[in-house]
Amino acid sequence: DAGVIQSPRHEVTEMGQEVTLRCKPISGHDYLFWYRQTMMRGLELLIYFNNNVPIDDSGMPEDRFSAKMPNASFSTLKIQPSEPRDSAVYFCASSLPGHYGYTFGSGTRLTVV
Amino acid sequence: AQRVTQPEKLLSVFKGAPVELKCNYSYSGSPELFWYVQYSRQRLQLLLRHISRESIKGFTADLNKGETSFHLKKPFAQEEDSAMYYCALHRTGGGADGLTFGKGTHLIIQP
């Protein structure tokens, strides 16, 4: 298994543009998590899914953020419109039920200028 | 609500010296604690879990419920240990709620 795959690795966009981050979890993992990492706030949980269903999105900062998981092998995190303060590294992670050691992707470094 | 505190943002020690990365948690229930490591330009990786009572790469961590701590220790630091270390907490009982992470400690091992 190639692990959790995220794309793109780097994204630079202008303020106001729509940004879509992608994640492919490990096959068979029922849980998928989106985290945001910044110097100031560390790692913050944005949203997580269980069997493709969003369970807790209380960490999503604003309505500009949305996440979907149309099937077990794909999830997206969308920011529309993007703002400079959204600049961060966004990580996706997946795990099996009853096992809480996550496998993280390599992250997407987002820069909004 | 649960909280994880890592009081040191940066810790610098010399090669061969002992290392202790501090982690304190706040949670009224029975937690599961983890340490994750992030080497430069790499993804976060699970280092160890308290329930496994394991030693990985020479690191150990003991859960002290009285002091609500889960400090990470290694008796002799090596240069390749330089990385960001994150302590994380998971609430037990129902579901797989997301882990709560501390803000991390940047460990630098000087030659």
Side-chain angles (χ1 to χ4, degrees):
Chain A
D1 199 321
V4 176
I5 300 173
Q6 289 187 248
S7 64
R9 289 296 301 271
H10 302 274
E11 176 80 34
V12 180
T13 190
E14 291 185 346
M15 182 173 64
Q17 296 297 307
E18 177 180 294
V19 175
T20 299
L21 311 180
R22 297 172 176 79
C23 175
K24 181 180 187 305
I26 290 176
S27 177
H29 280 194
D30 292 344
Y31 288 88
L32 183 140
F33 305 85
W34 281 101
Y35 279 86
R36 178 171 67 176
Q37 184 183 42
T38 61
M39 290 287 289
M40 291 297 294
R41 302 170 73 96
L43 278 160
E44 302 172 279
L45 175 65
L46 300 177
I47 185 172
Y48 79 92
F49 296 83
N50 179 20
N51 291 321
N52 313 338
V53 177
I55 302 301
D56 185 354
D57 65 353
S58 60
M60 297 285 262
E62 299 172 36
D63 291 344
R64 299 184 295 107
F65 286 70
S66 62
K68 295 181 180 179
M69 192 165 185
N71 56 61
S73 59
F74 184 65
S75 177
T76 60
L77 178 68
K78 186 177 292 187
I79 308 173
Q80 165 64 16
S82 58
E83 296 182 3
R85 60 196 169 112
D86 301 331
S87 297
V89 180
Y90 290 81
F91 286 101
C92 176
S94 68
S95 76
L96 290 164
H99 175 266
Y100 304 112
Y102 297 176
T103 301
F104 279 83
S106 298
T108 295
R109 183 174 295 277
L110 174 65
T111 303
V112 183
V113 298
Chain B
Q2 65 273 23
R3 187 169 62 231
V4 177
T5 303
Q6 294 180 249
E8 302 140 329
K9 291 182 91 170
L10 175 67
L11 182 63
S12 179
V13 302
F14 286 102
K15 177 182 172 182
V19 173
E20 182 178 51
L21 301 171
K22 291 184 168 53
C23 172
N24 289 90
Y25 66 90
S26 173
Y27 176 53
S28 58
S30 182
E32 290 184 9
L33 277 298
F34 304 80
W35 276 99
Y36 281 79
V37 60
Q38 186 178 27
Y39 300 103
S40 178
R41 300 181 185 279
Q42 295 187 26
R43 67 189 69 194
L44 278 94
Q45 305 171 38
L46 177 64
L47 182 61
L48 54 80
R49 303 181 297 165
H50 92 268
I51 58 174
S52 300
R53 304 187 67 82
E54 58 205 341
S55 174
I56 304 294
K57 299 184 179 182
F59 285 98
T60 58
D62 291 318
L63 177 61
N64 185 323
K65 291 187 177 180
E67 296 182 359
T68 60
S69 68
F70 188 57
H71 303 327
L72 184 67
K73 300 177 183 179
K74 184 170 183 176
F76 307 103
Q78 299 171 293
E79 288 187 66
E80 54 265 34
D81 295 330
S82 295
M84 281 292 295
Y85 290 80
Y86 293 92
C87 183
L89 176 151
H90 179 270
R91 300 176 298 176
T92 54
D97 307 294
L99 290 169
T100 299
F101 284 87
K103 292 195 174 180
T105 298
H106 187 187
L107 176 64
I108 297 175
I109 307 301
Q110 299 188 51

